[in-house]
Amino acid sequence: MSGEASAHSFVPTYPELKPSYVEGILYTTMNLFNARKDVEYYEFGVFNAEWEKVPFAMQNKIMRVKHLEKKKIDIYIREKDKQEVVYICSKSKLIIAGASKTSVSSRVCSKVK
Amino acid sequence: MKKLFILLSTLGLAASINAEEMEVVGNVASKCVVIPDTAGIYGNPTADVLSTDPSDGGVDPVVRFDVIQASMYKAKISYPIEFSESPTLNDIVNWTGSVGTSQVSDTSMSGYDAAKIEFDNVTEFSLTVAGSTWFKTESQADYGYGKAFPGGVYRAVVSAECIAI
């Protein structure tokens, strides 16, 4: 085993939506860990069971997460969309560089309870 | 009484009289970690072919999935069907590929390949055993009808997704 030398994790696996300080808005806190040296930016998305986008708000939908940095991310969803929300995902954004190589785009998705 | 306490302290017994049991609490939460393990390289065995197959001079990209608890996630891996970077191409590129396990941390993962679901360029594996699984992605690009790929840099992206179920 080589350890988590170049890893992408996004937890919790089953987040819960909780009421926020704004009426009619729910939120959940996710934790992202970036141990990928080749990735500095992650994109976030919220989806329904058919993988269609569900509107959500957060500080930045594409966020810089430096190598070996852990970041807490609050994701806000309208209460009326609560039944729609199934997946919350983080996806690595790749920098175009290198020659004749394949790189790996990683995406980790949690399932809302 | 004071003299008794001093005496007990000297004998190292005072601490044992005040000792309490302490509890250590732990929580193992389910988690999936995606780890690009080996960068893929395209070999160019003939003018019209780019291939990651080692027999063609390429290297198959390998991605490792670590899951802490069984049956909480599925892995969804896609081989490329377009270049993310290439010279201008004026003919069709035909893509083929496959995804399979290359290494497992638990022998009971050996059934993953037989149980995999393939559609288009996507392969899904149910991660039914806790531990690490290495998935190898082969891909080949054939240019036009035996046309030579123009010189330049070619780059493609393998998509590795870990989705809670």
Side-chain angles (χ1 to χ4, degrees), chain A residues 1-4 6-11 13-14 36 51 87 94-111, chain B residues 30-36 40-42 61 63-64 72-73 84-85 132 134 153-165:
Chain A
M1 301 269 277
S2 58
E4 293 185 10
S6 183
H8 165 197
S9 79
F10 191 54
V11 288
T13 305
Y14 301 111
R36 290 191 62 172
W51 291 98
Y87 300 106
L94 299 169
I95 298 164
I96 293 172
S100 301
K101 281 187 177 178
T102 61
S103 44
V104 174
S105 160
S106 54
R107 181 159 88 149
V108 180
C109 296
S110 297
K111 196 171 187 181
Chain B
S30 64
K31 181 163 106 169
C32 177
V33 184
V34 180
I35 305 151
I41 294 173
Y42 280 119
V63 187
R64 191 177 108 205
M72 295 279 192
Y73 282 95
S84 56
E85 187 185 354
S132 302
W134 287 257
V153 173
Y154 290 82
R155 192 176 159 91
V157 176
V158 169
S159 166
E161 300 178 52
C162 197
I163 298 163
I165 50 177

Tab-separated table of all heavy atoms in Angstrom, chain A residues 1-4 6-11 13-14 36 51 87 94-111, chain B residues 30-36 40-42 61 63-64 72-73 84-85 132 134 153-165:
chain	number	residue	atom	x	y	z
A	1	MET	N	0.845	-1.194	0.000
A	1	MET	CA	0.000	0.000	0.000
A	1	MET	C	0.887	1.253	0.000
A	1	MET	O	1.847	1.339	0.744
A	1	MET	CB	-0.886	0.024	1.247
A	1	MET	CG	-1.801	-1.150	1.385
A	1	MET	SD	-3.384	-0.882	0.629
A	1	MET	CE	-4.201	0.012	1.933
A	2	SER	N	0.522	2.192	-0.821
A	2	SER	CA	1.365	3.368	-0.945
A	2	SER	C	0.872	4.558	-0.126
A	2	SER	O	1.383	5.642	-0.235
A	2	SER	CB	1.450	3.766	-2.421
A	2	SER	OG	0.157	4.002	-2.924
A	3	GLY	N	-0.145	4.375	0.698
A	3	GLY	CA	-0.663	5.477	1.494
A	3	GLY	C	-1.481	6.417	0.641
A	3	GLY	O	-1.821	6.115	-0.490
A	4	GLU	N	-1.819	7.592	1.181
A	4	GLU	CA	-2.650	8.527	0.442
A	4	GLU	C	-1.783	9.610	-0.172
A	4	GLU	O	-1.927	10.785	0.100
A	4	GLU	CB	-3.732	9.102	1.368
A	4	GLU	CG	-4.740	8.057	1.796
A	4	GLU	CD	-5.870	8.623	2.615
A	4	GLU	OE1	-6.008	9.850	2.711
A	4	GLU	OE2	-6.620	7.823	3.180
A	6	SER	N	-1.615	10.662	-3.170
A	6	SER	CA	-2.218	11.475	-4.209
A	6	SER	C	-3.724	11.238	-4.203
A	6	SER	O	-4.292	10.761	-5.168
A	6	SER	CB	-1.614	11.095	-5.553
A	6	SER	OG	-2.139	11.903	-6.552
A	7	ALA	N	-4.348	11.580	-3.091
A	7	ALA	CA	-5.728	11.153	-2.894
A	7	ALA	C	-6.718	12.310	-2.896
A	7	ALA	O	-6.362	13.453	-2.659
A	7	ALA	CB	-5.821	10.409	-1.573
A	8	HIS	N	-7.950	11.954	-3.160
A	8	HIS	CA	-9.071	12.892	-3.113
A	8	HIS	C	-10.170	12.229	-2.293
A	8	HIS	O	-10.646	11.163	-2.643
A	8	HIS	CB	-9.515	13.165	-4.567
A	8	HIS	CG	-10.854	13.821	-4.702
A	8	HIS	ND1	-11.550	13.819	-5.892
A	8	HIS	CD2	-11.631	14.516	-3.830
A	8	HIS	CE1	-12.689	14.474	-5.758
A	8	HIS	NE2	-12.764	14.897	-4.511
A	9	SER	N	-10.527	12.840	-1.170
A	9	SER	CA	-11.646	12.297	-0.394
A	9	SER	C	-12.641	13.404	-0.072
A	9	SER	O	-12.269	14.586	0.027
A	9	SER	CB	-11.158	11.603	0.878
A	9	SER	OG	-10.851	12.527	1.878
A	10	PHE	N	-13.894	12.996	0.079
A	10	PHE	CA	-14.986	13.950	0.289
A	10	PHE	C	-15.979	13.269	1.227
A	10	PHE	O	-16.543	12.228	0.876
A	10	PHE	CB	-15.629	14.234	-1.076
A	10	PHE	CG	-16.604	15.379	-1.124
A	10	PHE	CD1	-16.254	16.640	-0.677
A	10	PHE	CD2	-17.875	15.212	-1.664
A	10	PHE	CE1	-17.144	17.701	-0.769
A	10	PHE	CE2	-18.767	16.262	-1.769
A	10	PHE	CZ	-18.397	17.513	-1.315
A	11	VAL	N	-16.121	13.782	2.425
A	11	VAL	CA	-16.974	13.151	3.437
A	11	VAL	C	-17.880	14.204	4.083
A	11	VAL	O	-17.584	15.406	3.988
A	11	VAL	CB	-16.119	12.442	4.520
A	11	VAL	CG1	-15.491	11.188	3.971
A	11	VAL	CG2	-15.061	13.359	5.100
A	13	THR	N	-20.122	10.462	3.948
A	13	THR	CA	-20.726	9.673	2.870
A	13	THR	C	-22.209	9.971	2.765
A	13	THR	O	-22.765	10.049	1.673
A	13	THR	CB	-20.512	8.168	3.165
A	13	THR	OG1	-19.121	7.950	3.342
A	13	THR	CG2	-21.017	7.295	2.040
A	14	TYR	N	-22.859	10.108	3.924
A	14	TYR	CA	-24.308	10.354	3.941
A	14	TYR	C	-24.605	11.639	4.730
A	14	TYR	O	-24.980	11.589	5.900
A	14	TYR	CB	-25.040	9.161	4.560
A	14	TYR	CG	-24.784	7.866	3.800
A	14	TYR	CD1	-24.036	6.839	4.370
A	14	TYR	CD2	-25.279	7.687	2.516
A	14	TYR	CE1	-23.781	5.665	3.670
A	14	TYR	CE2	-25.031	6.523	1.812
A	14	TYR	CZ	-24.283	5.520	2.392
A	14	TYR	OH	-24.027	4.361	1.692
A	36	ARG	N	-3.864	15.346	-3.834
A	36	ARG	CA	-3.391	15.226	-5.217
A	36	ARG	C	-2.470	16.399	-5.527
A	36	ARG	O	-2.898	17.543	-5.522
A	36	ARG	CB	-4.575	15.222	-6.193
A	36	ARG	CG	-5.422	13.962	-6.116
A	36	ARG	CD	-6.398	13.898	-7.273
A	36	ARG	NE	-5.707	13.852	-8.562
A	36	ARG	CZ	-6.323	13.630	-9.718
A	36	ARG	NH1	-7.628	13.440	-9.736
A	36	ARG	NH2	-5.647	13.609	-10.838
A	51	TRP	N	-29.280	12.488	-11.984
A	51	TRP	CA	-28.044	13.242	-12.217
A	51	TRP	C	-28.289	14.569	-12.926
A	51	TRP	O	-27.439	15.085	-13.645
A	51	TRP	CB	-26.991	12.401	-12.975
A	51	TRP	CG	-26.481	11.308	-12.096
A	51	TRP	CD1	-26.886	10.017	-12.088
A	51	TRP	CD2	-25.506	11.417	-11.053
A	51	TRP	NE1	-26.224	9.315	-11.113
A	51	TRP	CE2	-25.369	10.144	-10.470
A	51	TRP	CE3	-24.737	12.475	-10.555
A	51	TRP	CZ2	-24.502	9.892	-9.415
A	51	TRP	CZ3	-23.851	12.213	-9.505
A	51	TRP	CH2	-23.748	10.938	-8.948
A	87	TYR	N	-27.411	13.623	-4.604
A	87	TYR	CA	-25.952	13.535	-4.570
A	87	TYR	C	-25.307	14.915	-4.396
A	87	TYR	O	-25.764	15.887	-4.997
A	87	TYR	CB	-25.415	12.918	-5.860
A	87	TYR	CG	-25.906	11.526	-6.127
A	87	TYR	CD1	-26.862	11.275	-7.107
A	87	TYR	CD2	-25.423	10.445	-5.407
A	87	TYR	CE1	-27.323	9.990	-7.368
A	87	TYR	CE2	-25.880	9.152	-5.652
A	87	TYR	CZ	-26.827	8.935	-6.637
A	87	TYR	OH	-27.283	7.669	-6.880
A	94	LEU	N	-8.492	19.594	-13.693
A	94	LEU	CA	-7.128	19.286	-14.127
A	94	LEU	C	-6.491	20.447	-14.869
A	94	LEU	O	-7.159	21.167	-15.601
A	94	LEU	CB	-7.138	18.052	-15.037
A	94	LEU	CG	-7.659	16.771	-14.386
A	94	LEU	CD1	-7.881	15.716	-15.443
A	94	LEU	CD2	-6.684	16.265	-13.338
A	95	ILE	N	-5.209	20.595	-14.676
A	95	ILE	CA	-4.451	21.613	-15.412
A	95	ILE	C	-3.880	20.937	-16.656
A	95	ILE	O	-3.324	19.835	-16.570
A	95	ILE	CB	-3.303	22.180	-14.543
A	95	ILE	CG1	-3.897	22.863	-13.313
A	95	ILE	CG2	-2.432	23.139	-15.337
A	95	ILE	CD1	-2.893	23.109	-12.216
A	96	ILE	N	-4.076	21.591	-17.804
A	96	ILE	CA	-3.582	20.993	-19.050
A	96	ILE	C	-2.081	21.227	-19.151
A	96	ILE	O	-1.604	22.331	-19.239
A	96	ILE	CB	-4.319	21.559	-20.273
A	96	ILE	CG1	-5.784	21.101	-20.241
A	96	ILE	CG2	-3.653	21.129	-21.573
A	96	ILE	CD1	-6.666	21.741	-21.270
A	97	ALA	N	-1.356	20.119	-19.118
A	97	ALA	CA	0.100	20.173	-19.259
A	97	ALA	C	0.610	18.762	-19.508
A	97	ALA	O	-0.089	17.798	-19.225
A	97	ALA	CB	0.751	20.731	-17.996
A	98	GLY	N	1.799	18.640	-20.031
A	98	GLY	CA	2.366	17.318	-20.224
A	98	GLY	C	2.248	16.854	-21.658
A	98	GLY	O	1.616	17.485	-22.478
A	99	ALA	N	2.851	15.730	-21.945
A	99	ALA	CA	2.882	15.251	-23.324
A	99	ALA	C	2.445	13.804	-23.402
A	99	ALA	O	2.892	12.978	-22.630
A	99	ALA	CB	4.288	15.395	-23.871
A	100	SER	N	1.584	13.509	-24.375
A	100	SER	CA	1.121	12.146	-24.657
A	100	SER	C	0.780	11.366	-23.386
A	100	SER	O	1.176	10.228	-23.223
A	100	SER	CB	2.162	11.392	-25.474
A	100	SER	OG	2.388	12.080	-26.667
A	101	LYS	N	0.055	12.003	-22.471
A	101	LYS	CA	-0.271	11.338	-21.210
A	101	LYS	C	-1.778	11.294	-21.017
A	101	LYS	O	-2.499	12.151	-21.531
A	101	LYS	CB	0.339	12.093	-20.041
A	101	LYS	CG	1.800	11.820	-19.852
A	101	LYS	CD	2.283	12.462	-18.582
A	101	LYS	CE	3.736	12.131	-18.326
A	101	LYS	NZ	4.240	12.780	-17.128
A	102	THR	N	-2.237	10.323	-20.253
A	102	THR	CA	-3.618	10.367	-19.803
A	102	THR	C	-3.582	10.786	-18.349
A	102	THR	O	-2.750	10.330	-17.581
A	102	THR	CB	-4.297	8.996	-19.909
A	102	THR	OG1	-3.614	8.086	-19.091
A	102	THR	CG2	-4.340	8.496	-21.334
A	103	SER	N	-4.471	11.677	-17.960
A	103	SER	CA	-4.550	12.031	-16.557
A	103	SER	C	-5.892	11.554	-16.023
A	103	SER	O	-6.765	11.158	-16.784
A	103	SER	CB	-4.350	13.527	-16.369
A	103	SER	OG	-5.074	14.223	-17.319
A	104	VAL	N	-6.051	11.629	-14.710
A	104	VAL	CA	-7.259	11.086	-14.087
A	104	VAL	C	-8.051	12.206	-13.458
A	104	VAL	O	-7.543	12.974	-12.646
A	104	VAL	CB	-6.886	10.024	-13.025
A	104	VAL	CG1	-8.126	9.560	-12.280
A	104	VAL	CG2	-6.193	8.853	-13.678
A	105	SER	N	-9.308	12.298	-13.872
A	105	SER	CA	-10.226	13.229	-13.240
A	105	SER	C	-10.985	12.445	-12.175
A	105	SER	O	-11.600	11.423	-12.480
A	105	SER	CB	-11.187	13.769	-14.304
A	105	SER	OG	-12.323	14.286	-13.703
A	106	SER	N	-10.904	12.885	-10.928
A	106	SER	CA	-11.576	12.142	-9.859
A	106	SER	C	-12.825	12.885	-9.395
A	106	SER	O	-12.837	14.119	-9.338
A	106	SER	CB	-10.624	11.914	-8.680
A	106	SER	OG	-10.077	13.131	-8.229
A	107	ARG	N	-13.863	12.115	-9.124
A	107	ARG	CA	-15.082	12.707	-8.579
A	107	ARG	C	-15.566	11.801	-7.455
A	107	ARG	O	-15.643	10.577	-7.634
A	107	ARG	CB	-16.153	12.828	-9.668
A	107	ARG	CG	-17.433	13.456	-9.142
A	107	ARG	CD	-18.274	14.032	-10.269
A	107	ARG	NE	-19.165	13.037	-10.832
A	107	ARG	CZ	-20.369	13.340	-11.347
A	107	ARG	NH1	-20.789	14.582	-11.374
A	107	ARG	NH2	-21.124	12.397	-11.856
A	108	VAL	N	-15.873	12.403	-6.302
A	108	VAL	CA	-16.421	11.630	-5.177
A	108	VAL	C	-17.780	12.229	-4.835
A	108	VAL	O	-17.901	13.452	-4.671
A	108	VAL	CB	-15.474	11.660	-3.952
A	108	VAL	CG1	-16.060	10.849	-2.808
A	108	VAL	CG2	-14.091	11.135	-4.320
A	109	CYS	N	-18.791	11.371	-4.768
A	109	CYS	CA	-20.155	11.831	-4.521
A	109	CYS	C	-20.708	11.220	-3.245
A	109	CYS	O	-20.621	10.008	-3.040
A	109	CYS	CB	-21.063	11.455	-5.683
A	109	CYS	SG	-20.596	12.260	-7.216
A	110	SER	N	-21.290	12.065	-2.418
A	110	SER	CA	-21.978	11.619	-1.204
A	110	SER	C	-23.466	11.573	-1.486
A	110	SER	O	-23.953	12.239	-2.405
A	110	SER	CB	-21.696	12.592	-0.066
A	110	SER	OG	-20.322	12.603	0.218
A	111	LYS	N	-24.181	10.790	-0.686
A	111	LYS	CA	-25.626	10.638	-0.897
A	111	LYS	C	-26.361	11.229	0.300
A	111	LYS	O	-26.114	10.813	1.448
A	111	LYS	CB	-25.968	9.157	-1.063
A	111	LYS	CG	-27.334	8.925	-1.654
A	111	LYS	CD	-27.513	7.468	-2.001
A	111	LYS	CE	-28.809	7.256	-2.741
A	111	LYS	NZ	-29.021	5.843	-3.065
B	30	SER	N	-17.788	5.707	7.125
B	30	SER	CA	-17.534	5.230	5.768
B	30	SER	C	-16.878	6.342	4.971
B	30	SER	O	-17.134	7.531	5.185
B	30	SER	CB	-18.828	4.767	5.111
B	30	SER	OG	-19.703	5.838	4.969
B	31	LYS	N	-16.027	5.952	4.057
B	31	LYS	CA	-15.266	6.935	3.292
B	31	LYS	C	-14.750	6.279	2.026
B	31	LYS	O	-14.426	5.092	2.029
B	31	LYS	CB	-14.091	7.412	4.160
B	31	LYS	CG	-13.216	8.453	3.521
B	31	LYS	CD	-12.372	9.140	4.580
B	31	LYS	CE	-10.939	8.731	4.557
B	31	LYS	NZ	-10.072	9.563	5.381
B	32	CYS	N	-14.691	7.045	0.962
B	32	CYS	CA	-14.065	6.558	-0.270
B	32	CYS	C	-12.962	7.527	-0.652
B	32	CYS	O	-13.173	8.732	-0.637
B	32	CYS	CB	-15.090	6.469	-1.399
B	32	CYS	SG	-14.360	5.958	-2.963
B	33	VAL	N	-11.817	7.005	-0.963
B	33	VAL	CA	-10.688	7.833	-1.380
B	33	VAL	C	-10.268	7.386	-2.781
B	33	VAL	O	-10.071	6.190	-3.009
B	33	VAL	CB	-9.505	7.698	-0.396
B	33	VAL	CG1	-8.372	8.626	-0.788
B	33	VAL	CG2	-9.954	7.994	1.029
B	34	VAL	N	-10.165	8.348	-3.687
B	34	VAL	CA	-9.740	8.048	-5.062
B	34	VAL	C	-8.292	8.491	-5.213
B	34	VAL	O	-7.967	9.647	-4.924
B	34	VAL	CB	-10.636	8.783	-6.082
B	34	VAL	CG1	-10.191	8.476	-7.512
B	34	VAL	CG2	-12.096	8.391	-5.903
B	35	ILE	N	-7.459	7.574	-5.639
B	35	ILE	CA	-6.020	7.845	-5.694
B	35	ILE	C	-5.462	7.485	-7.080
B	35	ILE	O	-5.329	6.301	-7.395
B	35	ILE	CB	-5.284	7.014	-4.614
B	35	ILE	CG1	-5.904	7.290	-3.239
B	35	ILE	CG2	-3.794	7.310	-4.604
B	35	ILE	CD1	-5.798	6.139	-2.286
B	36	PRO	N	-5.140	8.482	-7.893
B	36	PRO	CA	-4.460	8.157	-9.155
B	36	PRO	C	-3.111	7.519	-8.838
B	36	PRO	O	-2.298	8.115	-8.137
B	36	PRO	CB	-4.296	9.520	-9.838
B	36	PRO	CG	-5.320	10.391	-9.181
B	36	PRO	CD	-5.405	9.916	-7.766
B	40	GLY	N	-0.989	7.355	-17.121
B	40	GLY	CA	-0.994	6.615	-18.387
B	40	GLY	C	-0.175	7.338	-19.442
B	40	GLY	O	-0.031	8.559	-19.403
B	41	ILE	N	0.366	6.571	-20.361
B	41	ILE	CA	1.134	7.151	-21.479
B	41	ILE	C	0.695	6.457	-22.773
B	41	ILE	O	0.513	5.232	-22.800
B	41	ILE	CB	2.657	6.972	-21.254
B	41	ILE	CG1	3.103	7.811	-20.039
B	41	ILE	CG2	3.456	7.392	-22.492
B	41	ILE	CD1	4.522	7.598	-19.595
B	42	TYR	N	0.507	7.259	-23.814
B	42	TYR	CA	0.158	6.679	-25.102
B	42	TYR	C	1.419	6.286	-25.860
B	42	TYR	O	2.317	7.096	-26.049
B	42	TYR	CB	-0.643	7.683	-25.943
B	42	TYR	CG	-2.103	7.730	-25.549
B	42	TYR	CD1	-2.672	8.895	-25.067
B	42	TYR	CD2	-2.903	6.601	-25.663
B	42	TYR	CE1	-4.009	8.935	-24.695
B	42	TYR	CE2	-4.242	6.628	-25.284
B	42	TYR	CZ	-4.788	7.795	-24.807
B	42	TYR	OH	-6.102	7.818	-24.438
B	61	PRO	N	-3.079	3.701	-17.450
B	61	PRO	CA	-3.272	4.430	-16.189
B	61	PRO	C	-3.972	3.541	-15.150
B	61	PRO	O	-4.838	2.736	-15.498
B	61	PRO	CB	-4.156	5.615	-16.590
B	61	PRO	CG	-4.828	5.209	-17.847
B	61	PRO	CD	-3.922	4.232	-18.533
B	63	VAL	N	-5.883	3.592	-11.276
B	63	VAL	CA	-6.485	4.387	-10.197
B	63	VAL	C	-6.823	3.451	-9.051
B	63	VAL	O	-7.354	2.349	-9.270
B	63	VAL	CB	-7.804	5.057	-10.652
B	63	VAL	CG1	-8.308	6.012	-9.588
B	63	VAL	CG2	-7.624	5.791	-11.945
B	64	ARG	N	-6.511	3.894	-7.840
B	64	ARG	CA	-6.833	3.076	-6.659
B	64	ARG	C	-8.038	3.664	-5.947
B	64	ARG	O	-8.144	4.886	-5.799
B	64	ARG	CB	-5.635	3.077	-5.719
B	64	ARG	CG	-5.740	2.067	-4.599
B	64	ARG	CD	-4.471	2.095	-3.776
B	64	ARG	NE	-4.720	2.696	-2.484
B	64	ARG	CZ	-3.784	3.286	-1.750
B	64	ARG	NH1	-2.548	3.387	-2.190
B	64	ARG	NH2	-4.086	3.782	-0.569
B	72	MET	N	-20.850	0.487	0.438
B	72	MET	CA	-21.314	1.869	0.628
B	72	MET	C	-21.118	2.694	-0.645
B	72	MET	O	-21.700	3.757	-0.785
B	72	MET	CB	-20.522	2.541	1.763
B	72	MET	CG	-20.739	1.931	3.106
B	72	MET	SD	-22.256	2.548	3.814
B	72	MET	CE	-22.122	2.000	5.482
B	73	TYR	N	-20.235	2.225	-1.530
B	73	TYR	CA	-19.887	3.013	-2.720
B	73	TYR	C	-19.832	2.117	-3.953
B	73	TYR	O	-19.621	0.907	-3.853
B	73	TYR	CB	-18.507	3.639	-2.552
B	73	TYR	CG	-18.463	4.859	-1.666
B	73	TYR	CD1	-18.134	4.756	-0.323
B	73	TYR	CD2	-18.729	6.129	-2.187
B	73	TYR	CE1	-18.073	5.883	0.490
B	73	TYR	CE2	-18.672	7.260	-1.379
B	73	TYR	CZ	-18.346	7.125	-0.050
B	73	TYR	OH	-18.291	8.243	0.746
B	84	SER	N	-8.183	15.629	-24.650
B	84	SER	CA	-8.318	16.919	-23.966
B	84	SER	C	-7.328	17.919	-24.553
B	84	SER	O	-7.486	19.119	-24.417
B	84	SER	CB	-8.099	16.752	-22.464
B	84	SER	OG	-6.850	16.168	-22.216
B	85	GLU	N	-6.313	17.406	-25.216
B	85	GLU	CA	-5.335	18.260	-25.886
B	85	GLU	C	-4.773	17.474	-27.070
B	85	GLU	O	-4.397	16.308	-26.926
B	85	GLU	CB	-4.205	18.616	-24.908
B	85	GLU	CG	-3.233	19.622	-25.458
B	85	GLU	CD	-2.044	19.858	-24.517
B	85	GLU	OE1	-2.035	19.318	-23.397
B	85	GLU	OE2	-1.133	20.572	-24.920
B	132	SER	N	-8.618	-1.832	-0.574
B	132	SER	CA	-8.121	-1.105	-1.742
B	132	SER	C	-8.256	-1.934	-3.013
B	132	SER	O	-7.979	-3.134	-2.999
B	132	SER	CB	-6.637	-0.772	-1.556
B	132	SER	OG	-6.458	-0.013	-0.389
B	134	TRP	N	-7.227	-1.597	-7.199
B	134	TRP	CA	-6.541	-0.853	-8.269
B	134	TRP	C	-7.236	-1.199	-9.591
B	134	TRP	O	-7.373	-2.382	-9.935
B	134	TRP	CB	-5.079	-1.257	-8.353
B	134	TRP	CG	-4.200	-0.747	-7.259
B	134	TRP	CD1	-3.318	0.293	-7.341
B	134	TRP	CD2	-4.075	-1.251	-5.913
B	134	TRP	NE1	-2.666	0.457	-6.140
B	134	TRP	CE2	-3.099	-0.471	-5.252
B	134	TRP	CE3	-4.688	-2.294	-5.200
B	134	TRP	CZ2	-2.736	-0.684	-3.925
B	134	TRP	CZ3	-4.336	-2.519	-3.883
B	134	TRP	CH2	-3.371	-1.720	-3.250
B	153	VAL	N	1.329	16.994	-29.294
B	153	VAL	CA	1.025	16.450	-27.963
B	153	VAL	C	-0.418	15.951	-27.941
B	153	VAL	O	-1.330	16.655	-28.379
B	153	VAL	CB	1.228	17.538	-26.883
B	153	VAL	CG1	0.752	17.053	-25.522
B	153	VAL	CG2	2.683	17.951	-26.815
B	154	TYR	N	-0.601	14.753	-27.423
B	154	TYR	CA	-1.942	14.180	-27.285
B	154	TYR	C	-2.173	13.866	-25.821
B	154	TYR	O	-1.336	13.247	-25.174
B	154	TYR	CB	-2.066	12.898	-28.119
B	154	TYR	CG	-2.068	13.160	-29.598
B	154	TYR	CD1	-0.865	13.350	-30.278
B	154	TYR	CD2	-3.251	13.250	-30.307
B	154	TYR	CE1	-0.849	13.620	-31.635
B	154	TYR	CE2	-3.257	13.513	-31.669
B	154	TYR	CZ	-2.046	13.698	-32.327
B	154	TYR	OH	-2.044	13.975	-33.662
B	155	ARG	N	-3.306	14.289	-25.360
B	155	ARG	CA	-3.605	14.092	-23.942
B	155	ARG	C	-5.082	13.744	-23.805
B	155	ARG	O	-5.933	14.318	-24.499
B	155	ARG	CB	-3.307	15.397	-23.205
B	155	ARG	CG	-3.279	15.297	-21.715
B	155	ARG	CD	-2.878	16.678	-21.174
B	155	ARG	NE	-3.288	16.838	-19.804
B	155	ARG	CZ	-2.528	16.533	-18.783
B	155	ARG	NH1	-1.342	16.010	-18.967
B	155	ARG	NH2	-2.959	16.715	-17.551
B	156	ALA	N	-5.393	12.801	-22.913
B	156	ALA	CA	-6.782	12.406	-22.687
B	156	ALA	C	-7.002	12.195	-21.188
B	156	ALA	O	-6.048	12.053	-20.425
B	156	ALA	CB	-7.095	11.128	-23.446
B	157	VAL	N	-8.258	12.199	-20.798
B	157	VAL	CA	-8.580	12.135	-19.365
B	157	VAL	C	-9.420	10.891	-19.061
B	157	VAL	O	-10.431	10.641	-19.722
B	157	VAL	CB	-9.331	13.408	-18.918
B	157	VAL	CG1	-9.757	13.311	-17.460
B	157	VAL	CG2	-8.469	14.641	-19.128
B	158	VAL	N	-8.988	10.147	-18.057
B	158	VAL	CA	-9.774	9.031	-17.519
B	158	VAL	C	-10.582	9.588	-16.362
B	158	VAL	O	-10.051	10.301	-15.512
B	158	VAL	CB	-8.842	7.897	-17.029
B	158	VAL	CG1	-9.613	6.851	-16.238
B	158	VAL	CG2	-8.120	7.256	-18.191
B	159	SER	N	-11.867	9.273	-16.350
B	159	SER	CA	-12.712	9.765	-15.264
B	159	SER	C	-12.929	8.645	-14.243
B	159	SER	O	-13.353	7.547	-14.605
B	159	SER	CB	-14.045	10.231	-15.856
B	159	SER	OG	-14.977	10.399	-14.838
B	160	ALA	N	-12.602	8.927	-12.982
B	160	ALA	CA	-12.769	7.937	-11.905
B	160	ALA	C	-13.707	8.520	-10.856
B	160	ALA	O	-13.389	9.530	-10.228
B	160	ALA	CB	-11.418	7.617	-11.286
B	161	GLU	N	-14.868	7.903	-10.710
B	161	GLU	CA	-15.871	8.428	-9.777
B	161	GLU	C	-16.159	7.408	-8.690
B	161	GLU	O	-16.243	6.208	-8.967
B	161	GLU	CB	-17.178	8.736	-10.517
B	161	GLU	CG	-17.028	9.763	-11.607
B	161	GLU	CD	-18.343	9.988	-12.341
B	161	GLU	OE1	-19.361	10.244	-11.686
B	161	GLU	OE2	-18.339	9.883	-13.565
B	162	CYS	N	-16.344	7.893	-7.486
B	162	CYS	CA	-16.733	7.042	-6.360
B	162	CYS	C	-18.058	7.597	-5.842
B	162	CYS	O	-18.105	8.737	-5.371
B	162	CYS	CB	-15.651	7.078	-5.285
B	162	CYS	SG	-15.814	5.717	-4.128
B	163	ILE	N	-19.116	6.825	-5.984
B	163	ILE	CA	-20.455	7.346	-5.715
B	163	ILE	C	-21.104	6.550	-4.587
B	163	ILE	O	-21.162	5.309	-4.645
B	163	ILE	CB	-21.312	7.275	-7.003
B	163	ILE	CG1	-20.659	8.154	-8.084
B	163	ILE	CG2	-22.747	7.701	-6.752
B	163	ILE	CD1	-21.138	7.881	-9.478
B	164	ALA	N	-21.578	7.269	-3.593
B	164	ALA	CA	-22.248	6.612	-2.456
B	164	ALA	C	-23.530	5.950	-2.948
B	164	ALA	O	-24.248	6.497	-3.781
B	164	ALA	CB	-22.558	7.646	-1.384
B	165	ILE	N	-23.839	4.748	-2.424
B	165	ILE	CA	-25.050	4.038	-2.862
B	165	ILE	C	-26.023	3.872	-1.693
B	165	ILE	O	-25.660	4.037	-0.559
B	165	ILE	CB	-24.735	2.664	-3.496
B	165	ILE	CG1	-23.802	1.820	-2.623
B	165	ILE	CG2	-24.118	2.867	-4.858
B	165	ILE	CD1	-23.522	0.448	-3.180
